[in-house]
Amino acid sequence: MTTQTTQTTQTTHKVTLTINGQPYTAEVEPRLLLVHFIREVAGLTGTHIGCDTTSCGACTVLVNGVPAKSCTLLAVQVDGAEIRTVEGLEQDGKLHPVQDGFVQEHGLQCGFCTPGMMLTAVALLERNPQPTEDEIRRAISGNLCRCTGYVNIVKSIQYAAKQMREAQATPAPAPVGAEV
Amino acid sequence: MATETETPIRGMGHSVKRKEDARFIRGRGRYVDDIKLPGMLFLDIVRSPYAHATIKNIDASAALAQPGVLAVITGKDLDAAGLAWMPTLMGDKQMVLPVDRVVYQAQEVAAVVATDRYAAADGVALVNVEYEPLPPVTDPIKALEADAPLVRPDREQKTNHIWHWEAGDAARTDELFNQAEVVVKEDLYIPRIHVCSIETCGCVASFDAVEGKLTVYMTTQAPHAIRTVFSLVTSIPEHKIHIISPDIGGGFGGKVPVYPGYVIACVASIKTGHPVKWIEDRSENLQADSFARDYHITAELAAKRDGTMQALRVKTIADHGAFDAAANPSKFPAGLFSVITGSYELDAAHVEVDGVYTNKPSGGVAYRCSFRVTEAVHTIERMVDVLAQKLSMDPAELRLKNFIPPEKFPYKSPTGWEYDSGNYPAALRKAMEEIGYEQLRREQAEKRARGELMGIGLSTFTEIVGAGPSHTFDILGIKMFDSAEIRVHPTGSAIVRIGVQTQGQGHETTFAQIVAEELGLPVENITVEHGDTDTAPYGLGTYASRSTPTAGAATAVAARKIREKAKNIAAHLLEVSPDDLEWENYQFRVKGTPGKAVTMQQIAFAAYTNHPQGMEAGLEAVDYYDPPNLTFPFGAYVCVVDIDRGTGEVKIRRFLAIDDCGNIINPMIVDGQIHGGLTMGMAPALLEEITYDENGNIQQGNFMDYLLPTAMETPAWETDKTVTPSPHHPFGAKGVGESATVGAPPAIANAVVDALSHLGVTHIDIPITPWKVYKILEEHGVAES
Ligand code: FES
Ligand code: FES
C-alpha cells in the first residue's frame, strides 16, 4: 500500500512508529489513518475496523500507553509514538493475564471486538488494578461487542485483575482447551 | 499398537475452553479484510443519495482520470453480461447495479476499482451521476393505496403487493371469536432493525483466467449455497468456483444474503485479471444491507371469562423493501411466523401476512432469530399480558392456566406444527421461584402505593429452529439437510468437516466434543474444519439456530457409522464376535469380561495396520442428515424494571432467563450464546430502530444514530436451565443461538407495561425509549419535572 500511495499523490510524509517495540518507517499520505498504517503498512491485522464514526472501538490500540481509536488518528499525527497492539500482548510465549482471562471466562465469541476490548482492559488494569464491576463497564463502554452481552467480558477482566494482583505468585496459565 | 491415551475425552456436557480462542486472543484471526493477495485491487461503491429516482446519465471520466483508478463498472456494463439483475433467495430478483433507476437510498449505482482503498474512494467521489428524483413510498400501508408510487415497474403485476400468505383455520377461528366472552385486540409494530455484526460485509474475489477458476473469500454464513447460486448466475461451472468463508466477525443472519458488492467484486476481478477486495464501511452496511422485522401486526385473542384462551387472529403487513430478498425457506415467505400460538393450547388460530414493496433496502432477513419467530413470539407474549390485564389476572397465573401440558407432547399446533417436546410449567415455576416472584409482586404493590414505578414482565416463549425436514424445507430448491464428514487417523486423532459455518458460535470446539463423545477420542485430538467449499461436504450453512439440530446431528450419525465399523475391528482384535461386544465407558468391551477391551485409538491404529481381511481399510464416514422434524426450544424469562419518572428511562434491575434447549454440548458456550442473545433482545426492546423520513432518507444510518447496547445499558444477565431433550435428535439437543433474542423483547416490554398498567396503559411499541415513556408519564400526570 505504501508504494501505491506514493505513486498516486504529490505529498507524502515520512512517519516512524514503534509498534510493540519494533520500529516501522514509511512514506505515507497525510490522510492515511493510523489503523491502516498498523494493518497495511506494518501488516498487523489483529487491530480491526468496525465503524466509520469512532463508535465501536474495534480499532483500539494503546498510543503511548493510552487507549485510542486508531481509526480516528492520522498516522502523521502520532509520528514517533509508541503503539501497542494485540500482537504485543503475549510476551516470551506467555499470555497477558487479560488474554488468559478472555479464554478462561469465555469473553469472546466471533473475536472481532476482542483485540480492542483487551487493550482497553489492559489500560484500565494498568491504572486501576482493582476496578469495580461498574468501573469495568464504564471503561469498556466505548467498545461494542455484538456477540457476548458483556457479562463474560466483565468476568474476563476481573479474572485478569485478580491474576495481575497475585502476579508474583502466579503459576503458568492453563492452556487453551483445558477445562477449569 | 498405539499407546493408550490418558487424555480425558471431555465430550458432551463439558465446559471445554474454546479451541478457536487461541488465534483470536493473539490477533491472529483471519477475517476477510486481513486477506492480502498479490496484485490485489480495491473496489468502492457509488451509492444513491435518493430513495427513488431515474438515472439520466453516469459520467465516469473524471474518476477514470484520477491516479490509481483503473475501472468504473456501471449497470450498463453488467447488463451487457446479463448480470445487472440477480435472483434472490425468495424467488424475486434484485438489481446488482441499476441500469436506469434506483429504488432505495444508498443503493449501489456504480463501482470504482483502484490500486488502493483511498484511491478507490477518490474515484467514487468523482463519478458524476445525474438523477431525476421520483416520489418515494416508505410506508407499506400507503404503498398499498391505489395511487402509490410503483416501486417495481419491472414486474408484470403493477402493484406494490408481493404476496399473501396464511396459515390456520379461518372459519373455526372466526366462529370462536363470534362466541367469545372476552376479546382483546392490539396493533403492534415490530420495527425495522439491523444486525450490525461488528465486522461489516466484504470479500476478496480472485479469478484465475488460466484455470478458469473463481475463488472468493467472503463474509457468508452459507458458502455452499452461494457457490451454487454463483454458478447458476454466472454459468461458471460449479467445480470452478471456490467459496471460502474465513473467520467471520459475527453474522446473526445479515451474512446470509448475496449483496451486490460480492457480485461486482467478482466481475471486477474477471475484468481486471487481478484479485479485488471489497469491504463495506459501517454506514454502507447499516444503510444498504438487508434489514430485519418491519412487521405491522394486528392481533386479537379470544378467551373465556375464566382466562381459558381459545383463539388467535392475526393480520400483518410485512415491509420487504424494494426487493424480496429475505432468506426464508422457499415455501415460507413469512418464515415460521405461524408458530405464533406459542406455548399455549388454543382451539384455533388464523394468521395472515401480506408482503409489500417500499423504497427501502430489502427487509426480512433474520436478526439473530429463526425466520420471523421473534415477531411471532412478541405478538403472542404481549397479547397474553394484554388479556391478563383485561381480566385482572396475574400474567403468570394466566400462562400456567393455558400452557400446553407436558403430557400432550408431541403437540400438534393449530397452525400445523408438531412441537417435539416441552415442559412449560416447570420452566416458569423455576423462574418464579428463583427470582422470588411473589416477593417482587409485594414490593411492586408497596412501591406503587408510594408512587414509584416498578414492573415485572414475563415471557414464556416457544422457539422453532433446526430447519429443516426436506419434505417441507428448501432454499432455492436445495433441501435443508446438513452434513458432516469424519476421518479418524491411524494414531487416533481425527478431522471433522461440516457443512455449517461458524461466526462465533464455537463450532471448532463443540463439534469436536460431539465426536469426542461418540467415539471416545480426546477433544483436543479432533480438528474441525468448515467454511471451505472445496473441502467441506455440502451444507446449507449456519443461521436460524440450525447448526446443532442439523449438522450436529449429522456429526453424531457419521460418528456412529464409524463406531459400527470400529466394532467389527474390535471384534477382530479381541477375537470375539461383534455381538459379544458392548460400548461402555468409551471402549468396546467383551460382555461379562470387562478387562477385555479396546479403545477407539487402538481400533484406529488397527484400521490402517491390521484390519480384518475382506474389510475396507481406514476409518471414516459421511452423513447427510435430513431432520425428521424441527426442534422447539423454549424458556421462561422474568424481567424486573424500574422507571425513572424524571427521565422516562427504563432500568433493567434484574433479568432471569431459564432456557431449555435440550441436551447441552458445552454449558459455557450455551451460557455465552444466551448472554449475547439477551443483549440482542434488549437492543430492539429499548434502543434500536431504523426509520425513514418522507423522502426516504434513513434516519439512523451510522453508529452515532443507531444505538447498539454498550456495557453500560446491558444488565448482568442471570441464566439457568431446564433440560427437556428433543426426542428425535440423535443426542437430544435443540439449538440455542437465538432463543434469547426471541424471548427477551416481550419480557422487557411486558415489564414496562406492567409498571404503567395501573395508569391504563395496555401496550407500548418497541423500542421503548425514554422519550416514549416520558410522554406517557406526562400524559398521565405522573412525570417528575
Ligand atoms: S473502527 Fe469503530 S471506533 Fe474505530
Ligand atoms: S465477540 Fe463478536 S463482537 Fe465481540
Side-chain angles (χ1 to χ4, degrees):
Chain A
M1 165 134 190
T2 8
T3 42
Q4 287 158 358
T5 46
T6 319
Q7 283 164 6
T8 56
T9 53
Q10 298 88 347
T11 50
T12 58
H13 295 259
K14 189 169 161 183
V15 169
T16 301
L17 299 176
T18 306
I19 308 178
N20 306 323
Q22 195 179 320
Y24 292 85
T25 302
E27 283 284 337
V28 303
E29 287 187 71
R31 63 179 174 173
L32 184 75
L33 297 172
L34 175 59
V35 68
H36 287 139
F37 188 101
I38 294 168
R39 290 178 52 82
E40 290 172 17
V41 177
L44 298 169
T45 54
T47 303
H48 299 147
I49 302 170
C51 74
D52 42 21
T53 50
T54 320
S55 309
C56 76
C59 62
T60 307
V61 297
L62 304 188
V63 177
N64 297 325
V66 179
K69 291 180 171 172
S70 61
C71 70
T72 313
L73 286 166
L74 301 168
V76 291
Q77 270 180 295
V78 291
D79 188 14
E82 294 267 351
I83 311 283
R84 225 166 135 199
T85 71
V86 61
E87 289 90 347
L89 290 179
E90 187 178 11
Q91 292 289 324
D92 307 320
K94 191 175 178 322
L95 291 180
H96 189 284
V98 168
Q99 290 173 302
D100 188 30
F102 272 70
V103 175
Q104 299 304 328
E105 297 292 345
H106 188 28
L108 67 152
Q109 290 180 24
C110 79
F112 202 76
C113 71
T114 312
M117 200 65 89
M118 291 194 304
L119 284 152
T120 301
V122 166
L124 167 70
L125 297 181
E126 278 171 5
R127 64 168 197 276
N128 179 0
Q130 204 159 350
T132 62
E133 170 163 354
D134 196 57
E135 285 167 338
I136 293 173
R137 285 180 176 270
R138 206 167 284 280
I140 60 169
S141 64
N143 291 76
L144 296 175
C145 176
R146 197 58 154 166
C147 300
T148 65
Y150 304 105
V151 175
N152 287 348
I153 293 181
V154 171
K155 285 191 198 158
S156 304
I157 298 172
Q158 287 168 335
Y159 178 100
K162 187 155 179 270
Q163 263 210 342
M164 284 166 80
R165 286 198 303 273
E166 297 164 1
Q168 283 77 6
T170 307
V176 174
E179 194 179 341
V180 165
Chain B
M1 246 186 207
T3 49
E4 285 268 349
T5 174
E6 278 150 35
T7 326
I9 304 298
R10 292 186 295 137
M12 288 283 293
H14 289 261
S15 286
V16 177
K17 303 299 177 215
R18 299 198 326 164
K19 291 165 172 253
E20 39 274 87
D21 289 358
R23 61 179 187 276
F24 292 141
I25 54 158
R26 290 174 171 86
R28 300 274 294 277
R30 193 173 184 233
Y31 302 91
V32 165
D33 200 13
D34 303 341
I35 288 160
K36 193 173 180 175
L37 300 180
M40 189 171 75
L41 305 175
F42 286 80
L43 182 136
D44 203 349
I45 290 177
V46 179
R47 293 179 182 273
S48 170
Y50 297 106
H52 199 190
T54 44
I55 298 174
K56 290 286 174 209
N57 186 41
I58 300 180
D59 177 2
S61 54
L64 286 166
Q66 173 73 9
V69 173
L70 301 174
V72 174
I73 299 169
T74 66
K76 290 216 167 93
D77 301 324
L78 294 186
D79 201 31
L83 285 174
W85 293 79
M86 61 180 175
T88 71
L89 296 177
M90 293 316 296
D92 193 1
K93 59 177 187 168
Q94 173 178 6
M95 291 180 204
V96 178
L97 285 175
V99 176
D100 56 6
R101 186 185 174 86
V102 289
V103 286
Y104 57 84
Q105 190 184 47
Q107 187 182 340
E108 299 79 356
V109 173
V112 174
V113 186
T115 48
D116 69 70
R117 64 180 92 222
Y118 288 76
D122 288 342
V124 164
L126 291 169
V127 175
N128 197 356
V129 187
E130 221 179 293
Y131 299 95
E132 192 169 290
L134 297 167
V137 59
T138 55
D139 176 339
I141 292 149
K142 288 198 183 127
L144 290 175
E145 290 168 6
D147 57 348
L150 190 61
V151 178
R152 292 287 301 279
D154 59 286
R155 290 167 79 238
E156 231 165 79
Q157 310 90 310
K158 300 299 173 204
T159 157
N160 292 323
H161 185 260
I162 317 174
W163 41 256
H164 174 83
W165 172 90
E166 57 183 81
D169 184 339
R172 176 81 184 119
T173 304
D174 289 346
E175 193 184 309
L176 285 167
F177 267 91
N178 292 338
Q179 301 160 359
E181 293 171 2
V182 186
V183 171
V184 286
K185 178 173 180 178
E186 283 293 343
D187 292 326
L188 303 94
Y189 176 55
I190 315 286
R192 176 170 272 242
I193 50 176
H194 197 284
V195 295
C196 287
S197 51
I198 302 299
E199 179 198 37
T200 61
C201 295
C203 68
V204 178
S206 179
F207 184 70
D208 180 332
V210 177
E211 301 278 340
K213 184 159 183 174
L214 177 68
T215 302
V216 194
Y217 301 84
M218 67 189 279
T219 47
T220 177
Q221 298 176 224
H224 281 101
I226 298 282
R227 183 185 72 190
T228 303
V229 173
F230 272 24
S231 178
L232 293 173
V233 172
T234 60
S235 48
I236 298 173
E238 198 167 355
H239 68 292
K240 296 281 190 187
I241 299 178
H242 184 189
I243 307 291
I244 301 162
S245 172
D247 286 327
I248 301 289
F252 313 115
K255 289 172 180 166
V256 177
V258 177
Y259 296 118
Y262 298 130
V263 180
I264 309 168
C266 294
V267 172
S269 178
I270 293 169
K271 190 175 156 134
T272 61
H274 285 266
V276 173
K277 179 184 275 189
W278 164 67
I279 303 289
E280 287 172 336
D281 290 343
R282 171 61 54 194
S283 305
E284 298 181 283
N285 168 268
L286 190 41
Q287 290 171 24
D289 288 0
S290 297
F291 287 84
R293 321 266 166 90
D294 219 345
Y295 259 31
H296 298 257
I297 299 168
T298 300
E300 296 170 276
L301 186 57
K304 292 189 189 157
R305 217 162 280 122
D306 69 358
T308 307
M309 286 160 49
Q310 293 171 297
L312 180 70
R313 191 159 59 189
V314 178
K315 288 191 198 318
T316 300
I317 303 289
D319 187 337
H320 278 251
F323 306 112
D324 191 14
N328 294 316
S330 304
K331 294 188 187 71
F332 298 88
L336 310 182
F337 188 62
S338 60
V339 75
I340 194 160
T341 54
S343 310
Y344 311 99
E345 199 176 18
L346 297 179
D347 293 336
H350 186 241
V351 197
E352 292 174 82
V353 183
D354 288 277
V356 180
Y357 289 122
T358 58
N359 288 113
K360 287 145 84 170
S362 308
V365 300
Y367 173 105
R368 197 174 186 151
C369 62
S370 186
F371 320 107
R372 299 294 191 186
V373 178
T374 318
E375 290 89 327
V377 164
H378 198 73
T379 305
I380 185 67
E381 288 303 310
R382 272 276 48 242
M383 291 311 290
V384 171
D385 264 42
V386 173
L387 178 64
Q389 200 175 335
K390 170 103 175 185
L391 297 172
S392 301
M393 266 176 92
D394 185 282
E397 189 191 330
L398 183 63
R399 282 175 168 81
L400 287 165
K401 186 176 178 72
N402 288 286
F403 278 148
I404 300 158
E407 63 277 9
K408 287 217 174 150
F409 289 86
Y411 167 79
K412 186 104 176 150
S413 89
T415 53
W417 299 111
E418 190 180 292
Y419 293 12
D420 59 346
S421 62
N423 188 342
Y424 305 146
L428 177 56
R429 291 217 168 86
K430 181 163 187 166
M432 290 169 73
E433 199 167 301
E434 269 184 40
I435 199 133
Y437 187 77
E438 301 304 329
Q439 174 69 32
L440 285 168
R441 284 284 172 212
R442 281 195 293 277
E443 181 192 341
Q444 181 189 33
E446 285 160 22
K447 288 211 158 134
R448 201 168 266 183
R450 292 202 297 270
E452 289 171 44
L453 300 174
M454 166 189 167
I456 305 154
L458 300 177
S459 166
T460 47
F461 62 95
T462 292
E463 258 253 270
I464 172 169
V465 306
S470 62
H471 51 74
T472 320
F473 288 89
D474 69 86
I475 286 188
L476 283 178
I478 304 165
K479 303 297 188 185
M480 294 185 74
F481 57 81
D482 226 292
S483 59
E485 183 185 288
I486 306 172
R487 189 171 299 164
V488 184
H489 307 315
T491 53
S493 58
I495 182 161
V496 190
R497 294 193 167 112
I498 49 180
V500 295
Q501 182 280 342
T502 179
Q503 313 114 41
Q505 295 89 340
H507 291 170
E508 289 166 41
T509 309
T510 51
F511 280 72
Q513 286 182 261
I514 297 171
V515 175
E517 179 68 31
E518 296 291 340
L519 294 185
L521 296 172
V523 73
E524 55 247 56
N525 294 353
I526 299 161
T527 298
V528 177
E529 276 187 10
H530 55 85
D532 183 323
T533 57
D534 269 9
T535 55
Y538 204 103
L540 269 284
T542 294
Y543 39 85
S545 296
R546 66 187 296 280
S547 288
T548 302
T550 61
T555 305
V557 173
R560 288 172 194 179
K561 289 178 187 172
I562 288 178
R563 213 163 69 197
E564 260 321 289
K565 178 170 181 180
K567 188 176 192 179
N568 288 311
I569 300 174
H572 165 72
L573 293 176
L574 295 166
E575 297 175 334
V576 294
S577 149
D579 295 341
D580 295 333
L581 293 175
E582 57 184 4
W583 177 253
E584 258 306 315
N585 200 18
Y586 303 121
Q587 296 180 332
F588 278 111
R589 298 204 300 219
V590 179
K591 288 179 198 160
T593 322
K596 257 187 117 181
V598 283
T599 64
M600 192 57 77
Q601 195 174 0
Q602 292 167 324
I603 294 168
F605 197 67
Y608 295 86
T609 60
N610 174 26
H611 62 287
Q613 289 305 300
M615 183 192 278
E616 240 182 294
L619 201 54
E620 58 182 81
V622 183
D623 188 68
Y624 283 76
Y625 185 81
D626 185 357
N629 188 8
L630 297 154
T631 57
F632 296 77
F634 60 94
Y637 291 177
V638 194
C639 175
V640 185
V641 301
D642 297 300
I643 295 176
D644 186 322
R645 282 173 45 199
T647 62
E649 192 194 351
V650 173
K651 182 95 192 142
I652 298 179
R653 187 204 307 174
R654 284 187 72 186
F655 194 109
L656 170 66
I658 306 290
D659 272 278
D660 193 321
C661 59
N663 288 334
I664 288 174
I665 305 168
N666 184 322
M668 173 192 85
I669 287 180
V670 165
D671 250 0
Q673 289 291 310
I674 292 168
H675 292 158
L678 290 169
T679 309
M680 281 184 87
M682 179 191 79
L686 296 180
L687 299 163
E688 294 174 15
E689 177 175 20
I690 300 280
T691 58
Y692 293 81
D693 72 9
E694 68 281 9
N695 295 318
N697 297 309
I698 187 169
Q699 302 298 288
Q700 300 83 2
N702 59 48
F703 272 175
M704 304 288 273
D705 300 316
Y706 189 69
L707 303 179
L708 269 57
T710 73
M712 295 307 289
E713 296 83 36
T714 308
W717 307 112
E718 301 166 57
T719 59
D720 204 345
K721 62 173 187 289
T722 57
V723 177
T724 312
S726 170
H728 64 75
H729 185 275
F731 53 89
K734 287 190 168 186
V736 73
E738 300 158 334
S739 289
T741 316
V742 167
I748 297 168
N750 286 344
V752 178
V753 174
D754 182 59
L756 304 171
S757 59
H758 59 296
L759 305 173
V761 175
T762 59
H763 176 70
I764 307 173
D765 273 332
I766 55 171
I768 303 178
T769 58
W771 173 237
K772 257 187 214 173
V773 176
Y774 189 78
K775 277 199 305 195
I776 293 168
L777 299 180
E778 245 187 345
E779 236 169 71
H780 293 89
V782 294
E784 249 165 31
S785 44

